[in-house]
Each structure stands twice: as structure tokens, then as C-alpha cells.
């Protein structure tokens, strides 16, 4: 948080009414799985930009940030309506003709529109009887053919049941809203920002918020340019005014699974024409041309769900917070973002009327102690005892400056209440292994970084002992004079002569035998 001067530019509507302002840069993370989040903070201290001094606010403003769930928003383009489950019907009959009435072909009679015009390609397709036909049937006997006519089957496609709207999926955007409220005394300022309104100023010109950007990996924000969204049709055909809330039936399917003109078989959106114009109609299996429809993908998902598996085509069970964005309509849909999304905000508050608390108090260094320690050990420890001799609580800093061969130590900061005595410890690192004496100065500074007391001390280090595990007398090298050499020769000759004499006289043998029998007597 910094205290800066207000700058004016040509766009006066985006400026605060101030000469100084408090600038706060903050990151607001989303909740778990991209859910809602909130932060409540109290602005206690600010750093003055020119002097780098911290100043305490007399009436700390309270900042409340509420962030809605994050979502990915996709633009939609209506394409057409398609049947959910096209069905092929057949009727066993005689005298089947394309223009036959309902008394002959029943459900496969030609269809007419609201004005009575015949709908093209809705006439029945007549196939002869026999076991190798589209629908195997008996041809009857010879007399039936003469009296009733030749047996055959009438085939047609109809679209009973539900229809679905098909939408193309376009550009995606990130969506959320952040509410920032600042309460300073009795004054309350509030703004809302989001990806679409990134810079907002409050009505009272006290608060200005700028949305800098978002920190997100986008690993869980899919792209659907190669998919169509299908939703159940609510009412009449054509572009809907509302997508409806039957989200359990919404599906995302690849574009290659659709036939937009209806003339391809085995694709979603198949038409009367594609069904009636398929080659080798009567010799092809029943339901040929009507595979890979919406109901097939829906049934596949239901089978996976019954086995506790994630659906492959439906949105429900794969995504969170489906179409819960504000003003959800027919031209867009959304899914919730499930990763943490941190939003970077810069808050600017008018600081013209802000009052600051400045507390400065005298202090004293009571004692400084540095015990003697061995040089080049890990460190030595200096203990400094200080006291706040004033009447208000204040902050202080301690500086420990020593003579050469001592590594520079960091300045320490502390806060003391009135008449409070505190003890601080500083680690001292010598840079030589030689025994030495050092002189140091300890400086106590107040909250304004002015010196209020100073104390000097001295301490010593002992030389480093390189081998602390050596025991006994130190090694004494032999003297190198010529007399000591002949004395050594004489000593060696005397030992040899004494040993030879004892061996001849038997003294050595008696001595060892006596030791042996004494040992044996002891054992018995």
C-alpha cells in the first residue's frame, strides 16, 4: 500500500477528486473449484512514496471484496431443429402404391402441410414380399394373389416424439463479477468490476478500481468450436427465446455427426429425402439410414451413468454450474471454471481527508553482552537489552556495527510499549580463525529512524583448535645431535647384551616358569 499523488488526464470521469491517494494492489483468488470467494481487510498502514516511511491511519478503512463464481461463457448461433428419435414404420399390405390412402398403407400415407399441400418424399416405399427383403414377409398362396392381390410391405420414416434445437458454439469469454466496498468512518463507497467493465469509479469519486488481469492456467476451460450444442425444444419450431432448464438432456456432439441439409443417412438431422432416396432400399436391413441419432448418444450416456461413469456427451455430470451466468438466454451458455482463478485488482482511495497516527518515543540501551567464543565456529551471540522510556507505544530499530573481520549484520526492528524492557539477540559471524578483540557500536533508532541512544562494547574470540581429539603428551621428535646418535647405539647394545646374559644363566627361563606355575596354582 502506497501513498501517491493523484494524476489528472484528459478523461476526467476516470479520476478521483484528490491530491493524494492510497494505492493498494491485491490478488483475489476464487473459492474452491472456482466458487464464490470473499475477503475482508483493514487498511492500517501505508507507505509514503517519496520518503518510504510507514504511516498509521487513525481511522483504518475496511475493505470488503466479494467475488462471484467464475465461468466460461460461449456465444451461440441457432442453426436448425432436429428430431430426437426418427423411426421407420412398415405395414404389411397388398396393392401398395406411392399415392395409396390410409386404408391401404395406414401410417405411411403421404403427409400434407397446414395448407393441404403434399410434403415431398413422405410417400411410402413399396417392397415386394419374400424372406430376403427389408422386412421379411410371406407372399401367401396362389389363390390369395388372385383374389387379394400380391403381398408387399409399405415403408416410411416419421419423426414422433421430441425435437431438439441445434446451436453452433462460438467465441468463449471469461465471466465473473467482483464487488468492492470501502467503509471509511461513516462513508461507504462501492463498485462492481468484471472482464467486461475493467475500470470503475464510485459515484462519490472516493474509490477507483482497475481490474488488471487474471492468473489462471486455463487447463479446465475447454473450447467447443468443433461441437454443436443440442437442447430440448420447448415450444414451436425455430429459434427459441429461452434454452429452458432441462439441462439433464443437453448434449455436446461433434459437428461431423450432423447433416445440416438432411440429405445424409445415419447422421443427426436426417430428412424424408435421405431416407426415401437411399439405394437398394428393399434389400437393405430395416432401420437402415437411421443410426447414430440423438437418442443413441443419450442411451449410451445413461448406460455409463448406471455404471457410475462420467457421461461422454451430456453436460450434466461433466461440468459444474451449467448456464448459471447472469442473464442466461438463447444466445449464450456457460460452464463453471473448476480451477483457482486469481484476479489482480488495483484499488485507489482518495487520501485528502485521511488522518495519520505518528507515534515516536525515546528509548535507551540498558546493556550489551557478547560472551567470548571460538573464532570460525558457526556464530557468536550478542544480547542487547533495550527500554522504551517514553509514554506511548512505538517502533524502534537496532543497528549493530562492529570493526573489521565481522560480517555485516542486518538491522533489527522491534515494537515496545511504554516502559517495556525487551531483549534482542544478534548473531555475530567472524571471518578469521585467529584469536582477536573486537569493538562494536549498538545504535537504537526511533520510528523516524533518528538515533536515540548508542552503546559501545568489546568482546574477544579464541583461536580455532583444529584437532580437539588429541590425548596424552605431545609427540617429541628425537634430538638430532651426533652425541645422541651414539647414545642410542650404546643403549641398544646394552639391551642386547643383558638379554643374552639372562638366557645363558637361565634367569629368563626361571622367571617365565615361575610365572607359569604361579598361574597354574591359581587355576587349581
Amino acid at each position: 500500500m502506497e501513498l501517491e499523488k493523484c494524476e489528472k488526464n484528459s478523461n476526467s470521469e476516470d479520476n478521483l477528486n484528490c491530491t493524494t491517494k492510497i494505492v493498494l494492489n491485491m490478488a483475489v483468488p476464487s473459492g474452491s473449484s472456482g466458487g464464490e470467494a470473499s475477503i475482508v481487510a483493514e487498511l492500517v498502514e501505508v507507505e509514503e512514496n517519496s520518503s518510504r516511511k510507514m504511516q498509521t491511519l487513525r481511522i483504518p478503512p475496511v475493505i470488503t471484496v466479494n467475488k462471484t463464481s467464475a465461468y466460461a461463457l460461449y456465444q451461440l448461433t441457432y442453426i436448425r431443429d432436429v428430431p430426437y428419435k426418427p423411426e421407420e414404420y412398415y405395414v404389411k399390405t397388398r396393392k401398395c402404391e406411392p399415392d395409396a390412402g390410409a386404408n391401404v398403407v395406414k401410417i405411411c400415407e403421404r403427409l400434407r402441410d397446414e395448407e393441404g399441400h403434399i410434403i415431398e418424399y413422405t410417400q411410402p416405399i413399396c417392397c415386394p414380399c419374400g424372406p430376403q427383403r427389408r422386412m421379411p414377409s410371406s407372399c401367401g398362396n396362389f389363390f390369395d394373389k388372385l383374389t387379394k392381390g400380391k403381398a408387399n410391405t409399405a415403408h416410411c420414416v416419421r419423426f414422433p416424439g421430441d425435437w431438439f434445437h441445434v446451436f453452433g458454439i462460438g467465441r468463449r469469454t471469461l465471466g465473473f463479477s467482483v464487488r468492492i466496498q470501502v467503509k471509511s468512518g461513516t462513508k461507504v463507497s462501492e463498485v462492481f468490476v468484471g472482464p467486461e467493465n475493467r475500470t470503475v469509479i464510485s459515484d462519490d469519486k472516493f474509490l477507483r478500481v482497475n481490474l488488471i488481469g487474471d492468473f489462471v492456467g486455463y487447463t479446465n476451460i475447454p473450447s467447443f468450436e468443433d461441437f454443436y450444442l443440442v437442447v430440448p425444444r420447448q415450444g414451436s419450431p425455430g429459434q427459441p427465446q429461452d434454452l429452458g432448464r432441462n439441462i439433464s438432456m443437453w448434449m455436446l456432439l461433434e459437428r461431423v455427426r450432423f447433416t445440416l441439409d438432411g440429405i445424409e443417412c445415419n447422421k443427426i438431422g436426417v430428412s424424408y429425402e435421405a431416407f426415401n432416396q437411399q439405394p437398394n432400399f428393399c434389400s437393405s436391413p430395416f432401420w437402415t439410414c437411421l443410426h447414430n441419432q440423438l437418442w443413441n448418444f443419450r442411451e449410451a450416456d445413461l448406460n455409463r451413468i448406471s455404471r457410475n461413469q462420467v457421461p461422454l456427451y451430456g453436460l450434466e455430470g461433466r461440468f459444474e454450474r451449467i448456464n448459471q451466468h447472469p442473464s442466461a438466454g438463447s444466445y449464450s451458455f456457460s460452464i463453471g471454471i473448476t480451477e483457482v482463478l486469481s484476479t489482480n485488482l488495483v484499488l485507489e482511495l482518495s487520501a485528502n481527508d485521511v488522518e495519520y497516527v505518528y507515534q515516536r518515543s525515546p528509548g535507551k540501551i540498558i546493556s550489551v553482552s557478547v560472551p567470548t567464543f571460538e573464532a570460525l565456529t558457526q556464530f557468536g551471540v550478542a544480547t542487547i537489552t533495550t527500554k522504551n522510556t517514553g509514554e506511548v507505544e512505538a517502533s524502534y530499530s537496532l543497528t549493530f556495527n562492529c570493526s573489521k573481520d565481522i560480517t555485516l549484520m542486518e538491522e533489527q526492528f522491534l515494537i515496545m510499549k511504554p516502559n517495556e524492557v525487551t531483549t534482542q539477540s544478534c548473531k555475530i559471524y567472524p571471518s578469521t580463525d585467529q584469536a582477536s578483540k573486537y569493538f562494536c557500536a549498538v545504535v537504537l533508532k526511533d520510528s523516524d529512524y533518528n538515533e536515540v541512544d548508542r552503546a559501545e562494547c568489546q568482546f574477544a574470540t579464541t583461536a580455532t583448535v583444529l584437532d580437539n581429539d588429541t590425548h596424552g603428551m605431545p609427540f617429541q621428535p628425537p634430538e638430532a645431535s651426533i652425541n645422541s646418535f651414539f647414545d642410542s647405539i650404546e643403549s641398544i647394545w646394552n639391551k642386547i647384551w643383558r638379554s643374552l646374559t639372562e638366557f645363558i644363566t637361565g634367569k629368563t627361563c626361571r622367571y617365565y616358569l615361575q610365572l607359569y606355575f604361579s598361574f597354574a596354582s591359581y587355576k587349581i
Side-chain angles (χ1 to χ4, degrees):
M1 295 165 287
E2 294 184 349
L3 187 64
E4 300 180 358
K5 291 183 178 180
C6 293
E7 297 179 357
K8 303 294 182 181
N9 55 39
S10 58
N11 189 0
S12 59
E13 294 182 359
D14 290 339
N15 293 327
L16 299 177
N17 291 334
C18 62
T19 56
T20 57
K21 62 183 177 182
I22 297 173
V23 180
L24 171 62
N25 195 328
M26 64 187 306
V28 183
S30 58
S32 59
S33 297
E36 297 179 353
S38 61
I39 296 176
V40 179
E42 191 176 57
L43 192 58
V44 178
E45 289 184 327
V46 295
E47 182 182 24
E48 190 172 358
N49 198 24
S50 58
S51 62
R52 295 298 179 187
K53 293 181 180 179
M54 298 300 295
Q55 299 196 42
T56 304
L57 279 65
R58 183 175 297 278
I59 303 177
V62 177
I63 302 174
T64 303
V65 181
N66 299 107
K67 183 179 179 182
T68 64
S69 302
Y71 56 88
L73 183 66
Y74 300 86
Q75 298 299 319
L76 298 180
T77 303
Y78 172 75
I79 297 177
R80 58 169 294 191
D81 289 352
V82 294
Y84 177 68
K85 187 178 182 180
E87 294 196 42
E88 178 179 352
Y89 294 92
Y90 78 97
V91 178
K92 290 183 179 181
T93 184
R94 298 176 186 272
K95 302 178 182 179
C96 175
E97 296 292 340
D99 57 351
N103 60 330
V104 177
V105 294
K106 299 180 182 180
I107 194 174
C108 289
E109 181 187 14
R110 292 178 299 180
L111 301 179
R112 297 177 182 271
D113 58 21
E114 296 178 354
E115 298 179 356
H117 301 137
I118 295 175
I119 300 176
E120 195 175 10
Y121 299 110
T122 60
Q123 69 274 9
I125 300 177
C126 301
C127 292
C129 60
Q132 304 297 328
R133 301 301 181 183
R134 189 178 186 95
M135 180 54 65
S137 60
S138 173
C139 293
N141 53 43
F142 176 75
F143 295 101
D144 289 337
K145 293 180 182 180
L146 292 177
T147 58
K148 299 179 182 179
K150 188 176 181 180
N152 49 29
T153 55
H155 298 260
C156 61
V157 63
R158 295 293 182 260
F159 306 122
D162 297 328
W163 285 68
F164 276 64
H165 299 299
V166 180
F167 294 93
I169 304 174
R171 183 176 59 92
R172 72 178 182 188
T173 57
L174 196 63
F176 59 86
S177 177
V178 183
R179 169 181 168 266
I180 303 98
Q181 183 189 81
V182 178
K183 185 176 181 180
S184 180
T186 59
K187 179 186 296 184
V188 178
S189 302
E190 184 178 88
V191 298
F192 289 85
V193 295
E196 296 181 354
N197 52 332
R198 306 179 73 91
T199 301
V200 181
I201 189 169
S202 61
D203 295 335
D204 56 6
K205 304 292 184 179
F206 175 78
L207 171 65
R208 181 178 184 267
V209 179
N210 185 21
L211 193 157
I212 302 300
D214 302 296
F215 304 101
V216 62
Y218 296 100
T219 57
N220 293 331
I221 307 180
S223 178
F224 298 130
E225 285 84 355
D226 297 328
F227 290 79
Y228 287 136
L229 173 69
V230 292
V231 302
R233 188 168 72 184
Q234 300 295 309
S236 58
Q239 181 165 317
Q241 298 300 317
D242 186 5
L243 296 183
R245 299 304 305 167
N246 191 10
I247 297 176
S248 62
M249 296 289 290
W250 291 17
M251 289 185 286
L252 285 167
L253 296 165
E254 297 89 340
R255 292 190 176 193
V256 294
R257 300 185 184 275
F258 292 78
T259 171
L260 298 183
D261 52 14
I263 61 174
E264 294 183 71
C265 283
N266 299 318
K267 289 193 175 184
I268 301 169
V270 64
S271 66
Y272 296 112
E273 180 182 1
F275 180 81
N276 282 29
Q277 296 295 322
Q278 57 183 295
N280 304 318
F281 184 94
C282 291
S283 60
S284 300
F286 192 66
W287 276 76
T288 298
C289 193
L290 301 181
H291 300 298
N292 301 321
Q293 301 301 306
L294 289 180
W295 72 278
N296 297 117
F297 300 111
R298 173 64 177 166
E299 290 292 328
D301 270 356
L302 292 177
N303 289 333
R304 290 181 60 87
I305 293 172
S306 66
R307 298 193 299 267
N308 296 321
Q309 296 177 329
V310 177
L312 296 177
Y313 312 106
L315 273 71
E316 194 171 68
R318 295 169 58 196
F319 305 104
E320 297 183 7
R321 304 187 301 276
I322 301 168
N323 221 41
Q324 295 182 12
H325 66 282
S327 64
S330 60
Y331 301 103
S332 63
F333 90 104
S334 65
I335 58 173
I337 295 176
T338 57
E339 60 184 317
V340 175
L341 173 68
S342 294
T343 302
N344 187 15
L345 299 176
V346 174
L347 280 64
E348 298 178 3
L349 286 72
S350 174
N352 290 354
D353 301 328
V354 175
E355 297 180 354
Y356 303 97
V357 177
Y358 179 73
Q359 295 190 159
R360 179 173 173 270
S361 183
K364 184 175 179 60
I365 300 175
I366 298 177
S367 65
V368 181
S369 173
V370 185
T372 301
F373 62 94
E374 182 181 326
L376 277 191
T377 55
Q378 187 176 6
F379 55 80
V381 178
T383 304
I384 305 102
T385 304
T386 58
K387 180 180 180 180
N388 180 350
T389 58
E391 298 179 354
V392 295
E393 181 180 8
S395 59
Y396 299 85
S397 63
L398 272 176
T399 305
F400 203 91
N401 295 324
C402 293
S403 55
K404 63 179 182 177
D405 297 331
I406 292 293
T407 304
L408 185 64
M409 292 177 289
E410 294 183 358
E411 190 173 14
Q412 295 195 13
F413 297 90
L414 63 151
I415 298 176
M416 291 188 291
K417 296 180 180 180
N419 296 315
E420 181 182 2
V421 177
T422 62
T423 300
Q424 302 291 119
S425 296
C426 299
K427 294 180 180 179
I428 302 174
Y429 298 88
S431 57
T432 177
D433 61 349
Q434 301 298 319
S436 181
K437 288 186 177 181
Y438 300 93
F439 297 90
C440 299
V442 183
V443 180
L444 180 66
K445 298 179 181 180
D446 60 13
S447 56
D448 204 19
Y449 297 98
N450 293 323
E451 181 177 326
V452 294
D453 196 16
R454 175 186 291 262
E456 295 183 353
C457 68
Q458 60 180 354
F459 65 92
T461 58
T462 59
T464 300
V465 178
L466 298 178
D467 187 3
N468 290 331
D469 295 330
T470 304
H471 301 286
M473 294 297 293
F475 173 73
Q476 297 292 336
E479 297 181 2
S481 65
I482 187 66
N483 293 330
S484 62
F485 172 76
F486 287 110
D487 290 342
S488 299
I489 296 297
E490 183 181 0
S491 176
I492 293 172
W493 173 251
N494 289 335
K495 289 181 179 180
I496 295 174
W497 180 254
R498 187 181 305 112
S499 299
L500 182 61
T501 303
E502 290 178 353
F503 177 77
I504 295 173
T505 59
K507 181 178 178 180
T508 302
C509 292
R510 288 195 302 270
Y511 174 72
Y512 286 111
L513 285 173
Q514 183 180 0
L515 286 177
Y516 171 76
F517 285 115
S518 296
F519 176 74
S521 299
Y522 175 76
K523 294 293 288 185
I524 295 172

